[in-house]
Amino acid sequence: MPGWLQAGGWGLLAGSALMVGAAVGYLARVPQKIIASVMAFGAGVLLSAVAFELIAEAHEQAGLAATALGAVGGAVIYTGCNVLLARRGARHRKRSGEQQPSEDEQGGSGLALALGALLDGVPESIVIGTSLLGGGAISVVTVVAVFISNVPEGLSSAAGMRHAGRSKAYVFGLWTGIAVISGLAAVAGFTLLGGAPAAVLAATTALAGGAILAMIADTMIPEAFEKAHLLIGLITVIGFLVAFSLSQAG
């Protein structure tokens, strides 16, 4: 099977977890404490993937300077885009309560939410695609980590969209679109960076890691803390160790 097709398939698989989570979050009345607990677990999984799969790999390929530059660059880009989207109504896009504005409360917030979801998902998918470069095997840990973390992201965000009065067509259309774009982003990561020097690949991996880390701190941890603050530390550590054990087993 061509590498670009493999990349797209794995990216689509990881992105499809958003649709699973969105279906549960929109159609079922899941207690917010449960949503927050699952979000904490997903945050722990992603933290482990960033540390042991992305940043560690970038450091091994190109050293500390390129890794640090890429990670800071990713965080800066993510934060800048996030600030712009937050001003247009996407600040609480992963919150499961009534924090998200409706279209009547803030015009254009629906588009901002969609762009915010895209901003959160693309870096993860690009990394999935680049892991296949050079004939290497897919990073199963990264795919599993992204899949696991996408479930609570979709669940929490869809629950918040339901509270804000978003239609079923909007919610499921959004997450289906993001899943497809995740697959395309993985293809882009594979095709556009094929043949790139190791330093460029390392910087790109670190950039994605920095963006994901900023996303965790800005959108996932707040939701987890508000409703499950007494247990968030324990649940996050469990998620971290689950992903770490997968990376060691691989």
Side-chain angles (χ1 to χ4, degrees):
M1 182 184 296
W4 66 268
L5 189 57
Q6 292 185 54
W10 285 111
L12 181 61
L13 174 64
S16 67
L18 291 165
M19 299 164 58
V20 174
V24 176
Y26 193 88
L27 300 176
R29 295 299 189 266
V30 183
Q32 286 188 308
K33 191 170 183 178
I34 298 298
I35 296 176
S37 298
V38 178
M39 185 70 86
F41 182 84
V45 168
L46 269 187
L47 284 170
S48 181
V50 169
F52 297 107
E53 293 294 313
L54 305 186
I55 298 300
E57 179 181 345
H59 181 265
E60 182 179 346
Q61 289 180 332
L64 180 60
T67 301
L69 182 63
V72 172
V76 168
I77 293 171
Y78 177 88
T79 301
C81 294
N82 194 46
V83 167
L84 293 176
L85 292 172
R87 292 173 178 171
R88 288 162 175 76
R91 180 71 182 88
H92 300 296
R93 58 185 175 274
K94 284 192 172 69
R95 306 304 296 272
S96 60
E98 299 179 356
Q99 297 93 337
Q100 292 185 27
S102 65
E103 197 66 28
D104 291 336
E105 293 171 331
Q106 187 167 358
S109 58
L111 177 60
L113 286 167
L115 293 175
L118 186 63
L119 174 66
D120 296 338
V122 165
E124 303 167 342
S125 300
I126 290 176
V127 168
I128 290 173
T130 58
S131 71
L132 281 166
L133 291 175
I138 190 71
S139 174
V140 175
V141 176
T142 301
V143 173
V144 171
V146 172
F147 187 95
I148 292 174
S149 64
N150 275 348
V151 173
E153 288 184 44
L155 192 158
S156 181
S157 185
M161 291 175 183
R162 185 190 66 225
H163 283 298
R166 307 281 175 192
S167 69
K168 186 182 298 184
Y170 171 86
V171 173
F172 290 102
L174 169 63
W175 293 117
T176 300
I178 297 301
V180 172
I181 292 173
S182 295
L184 295 176
V187 172
F190 179 85
T191 56
L192 297 180
L193 293 171
V200 173
L201 289 176
T204 302
T205 301
L207 186 144
I212 294 169
L213 190 57
M215 181 272 289
I216 294 169
D218 194 75
T219 65
M220 297 182 73
I221 295 298
E223 170 67 13
F225 181 79
E226 183 174 355
K227 297 298 180 180
H229 58 278
L230 294 178
L231 296 175
I232 181 176
L234 175 61
I235 296 171
T236 302
V237 169
I238 292 173
F240 184 94
L241 291 175
V242 167
F244 176 69
S245 64
L246 288 174
S247 68
Q248 296 305 297

